[in-house]
Amino acid sequence: MEISRAYWSDYIKKSVMGESHVRISVAELEHQSEAPDAEPPAKGRLRRALGMS
């Protein structure tokens, strides 16, 4: 994309044209699905040993 602007320069006492170039990048975003509900951990020997029933 080219961007141009004109302005008055007090230094040289005339109109000055400035130009700049920019690049625009576009990416496609994917819809994020909701995370599944958390499940409690399965009962095992460690949970029983720590008294977490």
Side-chain angles (χ1 to χ4, degrees), residues 11-53:
Y11 180 70
I12 59 175
K13 307 288 190 223
K14 68 176 190 175
S15 178
V16 178
M17 178 72 92
E19 290 184 1
S20 61
H21 297 267
V22 294
R23 177 181 292 177
I24 298 174
S25 298
V26 178
E28 183 176 339
L29 300 176
E30 293 186 21
H31 177 64
Q32 183 178 5
S33 60
E34 289 187 27
D37 292 335
E39 301 266 338
K43 292 185 178 180
R45 281 185 260 163
L46 182 60
R47 285 179 51 95
R48 284 188 296 237
L50 296 175
M52 306 167 126
S53 44

Side-chain angles (χ1 to χ4, degrees), residues 1 7 9 17-18:
M1 169 185 264
Y7 60 95
S9 172
M17 178 72 92

